[in-house]
Amino acid sequence: MRASYEGAAVLAVHCSAAHTFSKSPQSAIRLLEGLGVEGDAHNGVTVKHRTLVRRDPTAPNLRQVHLIQCELFDELRPARFTIVPGEIGENITTRGINLLALPTGTKLQSAAPL
């Protein structure tokens, strides 16, 4: 299934080589198929999240790239939570894509040539 998201955008990209809660803004990140974000602490074939590593360090890494839609930040603002991109550990901050509604296995791609 192909869906078009008119006006959808990547607002920011982030990476952190250390296991920190927030990630540093980057001008660009490189996604490595089957691994995740190059240079990110969660990059790899097996789990990197500390709690999951304690359970089974050989388990497959199903959380290689973390995406958050900035509409979540908008929803939290009235409750006096001020969150900026990268602050909650996402690698990619989007606008205009309902990430929570995407089925498992969805592949996102840029409409513009890279």
Side-chain angles (χ1 to χ4, degrees):
M1 177 178 104
R2 291 189 93 106
S4 176
Y5 291 91
E6 189 69 32
V10 170
L11 297 184
V13 293
H14 307 87
C15 182
S16 176
H19 285 276
T20 57
F21 190 75
S22 298
K23 294 185 184 284
S24 302
Q26 306 292 313
S27 59
I29 57 173
R30 184 171 178 212
L31 301 179
L32 304 173
E33 187 173 345
L35 296 172
V37 177
E38 183 175 55
D40 194 76
H42 296 105
N43 176 298
V45 175
T46 57
V47 293
K48 303 300 177 200
H49 290 77
R50 292 176 177 172
T51 55
L52 298 176
V53 168
R54 280 194 290 270
R55 281 188 218 150
D56 180 4
T58 65
N61 187 1
L62 303 177
R63 300 176 184 181
Q64 296 169 347
V65 180
H66 186 187
L67 289 85
I68 292 281
Q69 56 197 42
C70 75
E71 288 85 354
L72 171 64
F73 306 159
D74 299 341
E75 290 175 27
L76 293 172
R77 201 167 289 116
R80 299 187 185 192
F81 290 99
T82 304
I83 300 170
V84 297
E87 196 170 53
I88 57 175
E90 76 274 15
N91 298 112
I92 302 173
T93 310
T94 66
R95 178 170 294 284
I97 304 172
N98 184 353
L99 297 172
L100 298 176
L102 297 176
T104 300
T106 298
K107 293 184 180 186
L108 302 174
Q109 66 184 35
S110 172
L114 300 175

